[in-house]
């Protein structure tokens, strides 16, 4: 077992972490519908498992091979079966649960490395980091990958250092390695293996590496990892091989230039995201790096392991041709512990460090004053969103549209937004004071509160506002209410059909036809059709009088330019 003193504050720490995760990850799982492309894509696979019972080789929209292995989808299907239906909350629940397990794993690793306070602080830092929070409430596979990489590495280090003894833990380590492959493909095994190899190589423990590679438990990893792929290859054949092995793994990593597998970015792409995704804690990364080298922390085995973990993940995905911000999520668990170590060890007496902290203090004071001014202006003339209006012209068109939507949501929030601004202003001013006086040990509480308040407000106001303006969920629920049992056809166009099919709850035949052919269908049949409003307007303009839409969506899709309409053909005598 872990070397834990059960007479300590273990119970209190666990309760605090569970409450924090409950508030951040579980309180709003079902409060807003799907409004982007990624979540419905995974939800459709979960829906297929629940409705069709196809657990071994689930499909998307009953015919398309998914891009990822099914571990996340299995968890979503189990949750949905327990709940009784497939909903946004049941599909997002696995991410929240796995994120919480990751927090606990980080806590126990930090506790054994440097004590309970480091473990608690590292877990809190991880839980309140921007991207970890965001992906903990998203129906995506990234948190599943992160959890299994984290568990495998925590188990490895605990066994290596003797925190865990007994063969059962070793076999559990190999099992976790194998299951990780079913989260997002071989990348889980590759990352864990590279980190372990680099760490043991730096420690010159080639004997331990040899025993690890040739342990009988490695057979378990191979059986679990390759077992499903072998069965899926038999079931899916060449199409499965091309989709999940060539395109999603080899193509995503190696292919640059025209014809690549997508998400291709330059090698330096992750440097700004390393900072932005780790906010608010990442503002201390420069201090941490400088102190780490000055204090020669690479001589400490625990700190070295955490640093190798961060560097390997960052370099691996930087070298990959395909890049997206969530890919580097697995480096935030060790990075959180490294930041926690800096908070505990730093005394803020270096000249350069003092200057940097005071600069951050001045910036924090400016933020607090702006929030306070916004609060007072809102009380005076109702213009508490003036700062948002100032930023809108500087953004890209799509970001401008999202910010305008958020602004409208904040205006509707009224007094709640003013309360958020006032509380935030006090927290930022308090943070500024701690930074200005070099009170390093008081910073984590203030930053955690800032993150907690901001997250709750974003989940309660900002994200639902964007979802309301983008999602097809409300539109499709009304479609289901009106024509629950009748057939409806999907006229594919400039919109993602995934959320439409998911909210319909069953397959929708898709039509591929010219505007003239579609106009003829509308004139000669009494069927129902779903199409983009723009396509309907184009067909109507070309072909003369057509039936008016029975229903229009408020949601305009992920891109904000594809509202949908429900049309019924004129053969039933519907007048314009």
């Amino acid at each position: 077992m872990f070397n834990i003193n059960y007479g300590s504050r273990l119970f209190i720490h666990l309760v605090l972490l569970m409450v924090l995760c409950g508030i951040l990850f579980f309180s709003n799982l079902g409060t807003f519908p799907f409004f982007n492309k990624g979540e419905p894509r995974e939800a459709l696979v979960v829906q297929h498992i629940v409705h069709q019972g196809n657990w071994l080789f689930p499909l998307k929209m009953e015919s398309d091979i998914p891009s990822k292995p099914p571990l996340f989808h299995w968890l979503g299907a189990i949750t949905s079966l327990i709940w009784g239906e497939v909903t946004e909350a049941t599909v997002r629940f696995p991410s929240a649960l796995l994120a919480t397990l990751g927090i606990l794993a980080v806590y126990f690793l930090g506790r054994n490395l440097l004590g309970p306070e480091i473990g608690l602080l590292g877990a809190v830092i991880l839980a309140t980091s921007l991207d970890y929070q965001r992906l903990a409430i998203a129906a995506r596979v990234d948190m599943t990958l992160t959890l299994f990489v984290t568990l495998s590495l925590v188990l490895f280090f605990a066994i290596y250092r003797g925190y865990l003894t007994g063969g059962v833990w070793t076999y559990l380590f190999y099992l976790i390695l194998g299951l990780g492959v079913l989260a997002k493909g071989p990348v889980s095994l590759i990352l864990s293996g590279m980190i372990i190899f680099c760490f043991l190589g730096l420690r010159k423990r080639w004997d331990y590496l040899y025993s690890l590679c040739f342990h009988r438990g490695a057979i378990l990893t191979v059986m679990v990892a390759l077992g499903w792929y072998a069965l899926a290859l038999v079931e899916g054949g060449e199409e499965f091989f091309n989709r999940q092995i060539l395109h999603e793994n080899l193509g995503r990593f190696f292919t640059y230039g025209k014809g690549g597998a997508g998400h291709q970015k330059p090698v330096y792409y992750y440097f700004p995201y390393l900072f932005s995704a780790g906010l608010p804690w990442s503002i201390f990364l420069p201090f941490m790096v400088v102190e780490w080298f000055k204090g020669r922390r690479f001589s400490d085995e625990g700190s070295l392991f955490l640093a190798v973990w961060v560097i390997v993940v960052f370099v691996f995905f930087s070298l990959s041709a395909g890049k997206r911000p969530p890919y580097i999520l697995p480096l935030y668990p060790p990075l959180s512990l490294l930041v926690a170590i800096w908070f505990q060890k730093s005394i803020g007496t270096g000249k350069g460090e003092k200057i940097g902290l005071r600069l951050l203090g001045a910036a924090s004071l400016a933020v607090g004053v702006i929030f306070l001014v916004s609060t007072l202006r809102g009380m005076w003339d109702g213009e508490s969103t003036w700062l948002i209006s100032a930023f809108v012209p500087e953004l890209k068109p799509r970001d401008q549209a999202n910010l305008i939507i958020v602004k409208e949501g904040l205006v509707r929030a009224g007094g709640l937004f003013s309360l958020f601004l006032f509380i935030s202003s006090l927290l930022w001013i308090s943070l500024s004071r701690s930074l200005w006086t070099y009170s390093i040990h008081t910073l984590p509480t203030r930053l955690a509160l800032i993150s907690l308040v901001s997250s709750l407000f974003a989940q309660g106001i900002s994200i639902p506002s964007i979802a309301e303006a983008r999602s097809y969920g409300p539109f499709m629920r009304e479609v289901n209410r009106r024509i629950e049992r009748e057939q409806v056809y999907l006229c594919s166009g400039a919109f993602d059909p995934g959320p439409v099919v998911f909210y319909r709850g069953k397959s929708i035949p898709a039509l591929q036809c010219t505007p003239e052919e579609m106009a003829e269908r509308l004139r000669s049949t009494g069927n129902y059709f779903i199409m983009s409003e723009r396509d309907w307007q184009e067909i109507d303009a070309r072909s003369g009088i057509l039936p008016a839409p029975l229903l229009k969506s408020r949601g305009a899709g992920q891109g904000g330019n594809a509202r949908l309409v429900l049309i019924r053909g004129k053969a039933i005598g519907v007048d314009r």
Side-chain angles (χ1 to χ4, degrees):
M1 291 295 292
F2 277 100
N3 294 329
I4 295 170
N5 177 8
Y6 285 93
S8 67
R9 288 171 288 177
L10 173 65
F11 177 75
I12 295 175
H13 288 178
L14 292 180
V15 170
L16 287 174
L17 291 176
M18 294 300 288
V19 170
L20 180 63
C21 292
I23 294 172
L24 288 174
F25 305 157
F26 293 92
S27 58
N28 290 292
L29 288 179
T31 56
F32 50 90
F34 297 141
F35 61 93
N36 54 30
K37 184 177 181 179
E39 288 194 295
R41 179 181 60 202
E42 311 303 340
L44 283 168
V45 183
V46 174
Q47 195 175 70
H48 177 80
I49 295 174
V50 173
H51 291 173
Q52 304 297 325
N54 187 351
W55 290 80
L56 178 61
F57 193 66
L59 301 174
K60 181 178 65 176
M61 291 195 288
E62 300 187 5
S63 59
D64 298 341
I65 293 177
S67 57
K68 303 294 185 293
L71 182 56
F72 171 82
H73 311 111
W74 289 342
L75 297 174
I78 292 170
T79 305
S80 300
L81 289 170
I82 293 173
W83 185 254
E85 61 178 325
V86 183
T87 68
E88 296 95 343
T90 62
V91 181
R92 290 171 177 148
F93 180 83
S95 291
L97 177 63
L98 298 178
T100 303
L101 294 177
I103 297 298
L104 297 179
V106 166
Y107 170 73
F108 282 114
L109 178 59
R111 182 184 181 93
N112 280 271
L113 279 176
L114 290 163
E117 300 305 322
I118 290 290
L120 178 64
L121 181 54
V124 170
I125 290 173
L126 181 60
T128 53
S129 295
L130 181 61
D131 242 28
Y132 199 85
Q133 291 181 47
R134 181 176 68 86
L135 291 167
I137 60 170
R140 306 293 295 267
V141 301
D142 301 282
M143 188 58 72
T144 311
L145 170 67
T146 298
L147 183 275
F148 279 90
V149 170
T150 301
L151 281 183
S152 63
L153 293 172
V154 168
L155 280 170
F156 157 76
F157 196 73
I159 295 168
Y160 170 78
R161 289 286 291 264
Y163 303 147
L164 291 173
T165 57
V168 64
W169 296 109
T170 304
Y171 282 102
L172 180 61
F173 161 71
Y174 287 107
L175 176 62
I176 294 296
L177 279 178
L179 288 174
V181 176
L182 302 185
K184 204 177 178 180
V187 65
S188 174
L189 184 59
I190 292 171
L191 283 177
S192 299
M194 289 175 62
I195 293 165
I196 293 170
F197 175 84
C198 291
F199 170 72
L200 292 177
L202 289 172
R203 299 302 295 170
K204 297 182 179 179
R205 289 298 310 273
W206 304 113
D207 58 326
Y208 196 89
L209 180 63
Y210 179 85
S211 65
L212 205 63
C213 293
F214 292 97
H215 190 280
R216 284 177 295 180
I219 299 174
L220 182 61
T221 300
V222 174
M223 289 176 58
V224 174
L226 296 184
W228 177 81
Y229 271 93
L231 293 172
L233 188 59
V234 171
E235 182 74 19
E238 183 179 357
E239 187 178 358
F240 168 80
F241 182 81
N242 291 336
R243 175 62 171 161
Q244 286 212 14
I245 297 177
L246 292 183
H247 182 273
E248 286 296 322
N249 291 288
L250 298 178
R252 187 77 73 195
F253 188 87
F254 289 107
T255 308
Y256 285 89
K258 186 175 180 181
H263 307 305
Q264 296 176 61
K265 304 293 180 183
V267 70
Y268 54 81
Y269 174 78
Y270 284 118
F271 280 99
Y273 283 108
L274 179 65
F275 178 82
S276 61
L279 286 171
W281 307 95
S282 53
I283 61 176
F284 299 107
L285 285 183
F287 302 99
M288 184 203 75
V289 173
V290 171
E291 196 277 335
W292 201 83
F293 281 100
K294 284 175 60 178
R296 293 182 171 270
R297 300 207 179 277
F298 46 82
S299 61
D300 173 70
E301 201 168 48
S303 296
L304 178 65
F305 176 68
L306 297 174
V308 169
W309 184 343
V310 172
I311 293 169
V312 167
V313 174
F314 187 82
V315 171
F316 176 83
F317 285 112
S318 293
L319 294 177
S320 171
K323 298 179 179 69
R324 290 184 63 249
Y327 290 176
I328 61 171
L329 188 66
L331 67 75
Y332 285 99
L335 191 60
S336 299
L337 284 174
L338 288 172
V339 174
I341 293 171
W342 176 80
F343 274 120
Q344 290 293 317
K345 300 294 183 181
S346 178
I347 57 175
T349 56
K351 184 178 179 180
E353 189 176 64
K354 282 186 175 182
I355 295 173
L357 290 174
R358 286 204 163 180
L359 288 174
L360 286 178
S364 300
L365 180 61
V367 173
V369 170
I370 290 172
F371 280 0
L372 186 58
V373 169
S374 298
T375 304
L376 296 175
R377 183 167 179 179
M379 296 172 61
W380 179 260
D381 59 9
E383 286 293 329
S384 56
T385 60
W386 63 275
L387 187 62
I388 294 178
S389 302
F391 274 108
V392 168
E394 307 300 324
L395 301 175
K396 297 178 182 179
R398 181 173 173 180
D399 295 329
Q400 286 183 0
N402 284 336
L403 200 57
I404 291 171
I405 292 169
V406 170
K407 178 183 176 181
E408 293 171 352
L410 297 180
V411 171
R412 291 195 299 270
L416 188 60
F417 180 47
S418 297
L419 178 62
F420 162 74
L421 286 174
F422 180 66
I423 293 174
S424 296
S425 68
L426 297 181
L427 290 172
W428 279 101
I429 292 171
S430 177
L431 176 66
S432 172
R433 183 177 182 276
S434 294
L435 288 164
W436 195 260
T437 59
Y438 317 123
S439 302
I440 304 296
H441 300 307
T442 65
L443 294 177
T445 301
R446 288 159 175 76
L447 280 171
L449 287 173
I450 288 172
S451 181
L452 179 62
V453 171
S454 300
S455 177
L456 289 178
F457 190 80
Q459 292 184 34
I461 303 295
S462 301
I463 298 177
S465 297
I466 296 175
E468 183 181 7
R470 298 284 188 251
S471 177
Y472 296 140
F475 169 76
M476 288 306 301
R477 290 189 177 103
E478 181 61 21
V479 169
N480 290 342
R481 189 188 69 81
R482 293 192 183 194
I483 54 171
E484 180 180 2
R485 299 182 182 278
E486 298 184 66
Q487 182 65 66
V488 61
Y489 294 88
L490 187 64
C491 304
S492 57
F495 65 94
D496 177 28
V500 177
V501 177
F502 172 78
Y503 283 110
R504 180 61 173 169
K506 53 186 176 183
S507 63
I508 304 178
L511 302 176
Q512 298 284 350
C513 50
T514 65
E516 291 75 16
E517 292 170 337
M518 191 67 239
E520 179 59 29
R521 284 178 178 270
L522 289 170
R523 283 193 293 262
S524 61
T525 72
N527 296 327
Y528 290 96
F529 302 91
I530 293 174
M531 66 182 71
S532 71
E533 185 178 29
R534 186 168 52 189
D535 286 347
W536 173 79
Q537 290 171 344
E538 180 183 351
I539 294 170
D540 192 29
R542 288 189 182 187
S543 307
I545 298 176
L546 292 177
L550 302 175
L551 188 64
K552 293 184 180 181
S553 71
R554 178 176 179 179
Q558 182 179 5
N561 58 356
R563 286 187 169 83
L564 302 184
V565 294
L566 175 67
I567 307 288
R568 191 173 191 184
K570 291 188 68 175
I572 50 130
V574 177
D575 294 327
R576 190 178 177 85

